[in-house]
Amino acid sequence: MAIKSSIHATIPPLSPRLFPLSKSCGLWVDQIPPVQQSSRYGNTSYRTWHERLTENVESLMLRFLPDDLKPSTVEIIPYFTERFGNSSRIDYGTGHETNFAAWLYCLARMGIIKEEDYHAVVTRVFVKYLELMKKLQLIYWLEPAGSHGVWGLDDYHFLPFIFGSSQLIDHKYMKPKSIHNDDILDNFSSEYMYLSCIQFVKKVKKGPFAEHSPLLNDISGVPNWNKVNTGMLKMYKAEVLEKVPIMQHFLFGWLIKW
């Protein structure tokens, strides 16, 4: 699995039609500021934001669906809303992130996303989603759902480490150990998803990297990105797709069958 395009890859025709979705959701964050409360995590304004999402999600889907596929909203809307987290618990984790992948898969099953779109879907559409999720996490302090603490890759995400390691396969100069070089992170995190994730982890967590992110620190000792990517895929299957506490909430229908 190799994604060689940078985050700023040329956008094929599909991507601009999906960009307004993240833009609209991002504007609502600006319009719904966090309330003052005693607890750090789980700002209740997130519920107001999520309620607005729920009220507008059907119209968002209908913006890009052709007439013959508009009945599919009954199936793709739950994946779209779940990808932003749970409004009752005010949390977010890899299960919610998997719903975003499921939503993209449904669009591919319906022929809206073509094979030639795959690179841009990751390097542009998925990146926009990540940017929005980081905004939600920082503004509303979403509780990490099912976090493994220091023994997880990240409190919230998994997929960007898969896509990001793929993007760096066969890179001449960038190695897994390069994550410890702050100059590299500062200069290239906008181009490479994996480096962007590492930089974000270092921003929100305090203390030595090896202490707050020992798993990512250990992975930096792997000799090449191909091995990192292969290991990430196996780990995602074992730690996300095969975990009952995560997948028990996953929905199935005619697009994604049981």
Side-chain angles (χ1 to χ4, degrees):
M1 178 182 180
I3 302 168
K4 300 300 177 62
S5 304
S6 75
I7 289 178
H8 300 291
T10 302
I11 311 172
L14 162 85
S15 302
R17 286 186 285 151
L18 300 184
F19 279 167
L21 304 183
S22 290
K23 185 177 181 181
S24 296
C25 296
L27 287 173
W28 299 335
V29 179
D30 299 331
Q31 296 165 4
I32 305 170
V35 297
Q36 294 292 323
Q37 60 183 49
S38 57
S39 60
R40 178 186 181 189
Y41 280 104
N43 193 282
T44 54
S45 285
Y46 172 74
R47 291 185 177 134
T48 305
W49 178 89
H50 201 279
E51 184 178 351
R52 187 173 298 185
L53 168 71
T54 304
E55 291 170 352
N56 290 276
V57 64
E58 185 171 10
S59 64
L60 290 175
M61 297 299 100
L62 294 178
R63 287 183 189 179
F64 65 87
L65 287 173
D67 289 341
D68 61 321
L69 291 176
K70 286 181 178 178
S72 68
T73 53
V74 68
E75 187 163 342
I76 65 173
I77 281 177
Y79 295 130
F80 188 85
T81 53
E82 278 295 309
R83 73 184 194 157
F84 293 111
N86 184 279
S87 60
S88 298
R89 299 187 302 269
I90 314 183
D91 66 5
Y92 175 90
T94 52
H96 302 109
E97 181 186 63
T98 300
N99 273 275
F100 180 61
W103 179 72
L104 291 174
Y105 176 76
C106 287
L107 299 189
R109 281 289 310 275
M110 293 188 291
I112 294 171
I113 292 176
K114 312 290 185 185
E115 187 172 353
E116 59 267 26
D117 299 318
Y118 289 175
H119 278 66
V121 164
V122 173
T123 58
R124 301 307 298 270
V125 177
F126 184 72
V127 165
K128 286 293 182 184
Y129 166 66
L130 276 182
E131 291 174 354
L132 175 57
M133 285 315 309
K134 288 176 182 178
K135 187 174 184 177
L136 289 169
Q137 289 154 19
L138 292 175
I139 297 295
Y140 300 129
W141 281 100
L142 305 185
E143 188 84 34
S147 172
H148 291 281
V150 298
W151 295 109
L153 288 178
D154 177 287
D155 283 339
Y156 300 104
H157 295 285
F158 201 120
L159 289 177
F161 292 96
I162 295 177
F163 296 140
S165 57
S166 174
Q167 187 186 16
L168 286 162
I169 289 174
D170 296 331
H171 195 287
K172 285 185 177 181
Y173 308 108
M174 218 81 72
K175 306 299 180 186
K177 64 182 180 182
S178 298
I179 68 167
H180 299 294
N181 188 318
D182 288 338
D183 286 339
I184 287 178
L185 294 180
D186 290 340
N187 288 299
F188 297 102
S189 61
S190 62
E191 295 181 48
Y192 296 101
M193 198 182 304
Y194 195 97
L195 301 183
S196 177
C197 291
I198 296 295
Q199 188 176 57
F200 186 73
V201 168
K202 288 187 174 184
K203 176 183 176 182
V204 299
K205 296 189 177 184
K206 306 300 181 184
F209 185 75
E211 292 182 10
H212 64 62
S213 300
L215 185 55
L216 287 172
N217 187 64
D218 289 347
I219 291 170
S220 71
V222 175
N224 60 68
W225 290 110
N226 192 52
K227 287 189 175 181
V228 172
N229 185 249
T230 301
M232 290 287 185
L233 286 168
K234 290 178 180 178
M235 188 177 173
Y236 185 69
K237 182 174 183 288
E239 297 297 327
V240 179
L241 299 182
E242 293 180 351
K243 289 293 185 184
V244 173
I246 294 175
M247 298 310 294
Q248 66 181 345
H249 305 293
F250 198 80
L251 299 175
F252 296 91
W254 68 274
L255 287 168
I256 300 180
K257 300 181 186 297
W258 173 256

